[in-house]
Amino acid sequence: MSEHGGGSSEPPESRVPRSRLEDYAEMTVPPREPADERGAPPEPEPAPAPEPPPDDPEAEARRQRFIEVLEEFRRTPVLVPLGEGPGPDGERGLLTADWNGVRFILAFSDGQALARYAQARGEYHREWVYQTILGARLLDVAVPAAGVPCGVALDCADGPDGVVFPPVRGVVPDEAAVDREEGEDI
């Protein structure tokens, strides 16, 4: 990987430095064109899914698979880009996205997953500053510190291969979970 994108005949001082994420992005499959968010109509609220019967083996298998994925995430260090604005302590906060009243901390399993996200945003050419944070620390410390309903979105540019860890009991600490009853003893 070259700091200036390979062998060019231009002198180094006249070229814009190339981000290493741009090199990763070139190794990925080209993403779909980003939709123009300003002209797109608002998405309708999804209808709640019906609860499967308690003895449904397919539902139980999905629950078990999610638990396995959650346990693996909790013990894995992930890349968390820093956002543009300052966090509560004056330093740059973690990169987040809000969706339907819930904030999600954006996390990535590796540099290529972060590069796919940068490419999908059309920002792969800039430098992305990130921290490496253990998944458990994100869920147990960063989520409650957000002060609003908050979860974690892992590899959000990867479509169905991405994972969302919602702010519910069993995923985040009970005091940060949105599915507990008001006044429920923790």
Side-chain angles (χ1 to χ4, degrees), residues 2 7 14 20 22 27 30 40 62 82 91 100 111 123 141 176 180 184:
S2 170
S14 69
R20 295 199 186 277
E22 190 168 4
M27 291 186 266
R62 284 193 308 264
L82 300 181
E91 294 181 12
N100 281 348
E123 298 179 13
V141 178
R180 66 181 173 91
E184 184 176 316

Side-chain angles (χ1 to χ4, degrees), residues 85-173:
D89 55 3
E91 294 181 12
R92 286 173 69 179
L94 303 177
L95 183 63
T96 61
D98 292 344
W99 187 69
N100 281 348
V102 178
R103 179 162 297 156
F104 288 93
I105 298 168
L106 304 183
F108 300 90
S109 55
D110 57 30
Q112 288 184 337
L114 176 55
R116 287 188 296 275
Y117 174 77
Q119 186 175 25
R121 291 182 52 99
E123 298 179 13
Y124 58 87
H125 58 279
R126 77 171 178 91
E127 180 180 2
W128 286 74
V129 179
Y130 61 86
Q131 293 181 349
T132 302
I133 303 174
L134 193 62
R137 189 159 176 83
L138 277 178
L139 293 172
D140 298 342
V141 178
V143 164
V148 296
C150 184
V152 176
L154 178 66
D155 296 340
C156 58
D158 291 350
D161 293 330
V163 181
V164 173
F165 299 102
V168 296
R169 289 184 289 189
V171 175
V172 300

Side-chain angles (χ1 to χ4, degrees), residues 6-83:
S8 173
S9 59
E10 295 179 44
E13 49 283 340
S14 69
R15 288 180 278 169
V16 176
R18 180 177 162 127
S19 166
R20 295 199 186 277
L21 282 180
E22 190 168 4
D23 294 324
Y24 281 129
E26 289 176 353
M27 291 186 266
T28 64
V29 177
R32 295 176 288 178
E33 290 295 317
D36 183 8
E37 294 177 10
R38 290 167 281 166
E43 293 183 24
E45 294 257 345
E51 287 290 319
D55 57 349
D56 181 2
E58 185 179 333
E60 184 56 36
R62 284 193 308 264
R63 273 192 286 275
Q64 189 59 39
R65 176 69 184 128
F66 181 79
I67 290 169
E68 292 167 6
V69 170
L70 175 62
E71 289 173 353
E72 179 66 22
F73 175 75
R74 292 184 66 77
R75 62 179 172 261
T76 302
V78 293
L79 308 181
V80 182
L82 300 181

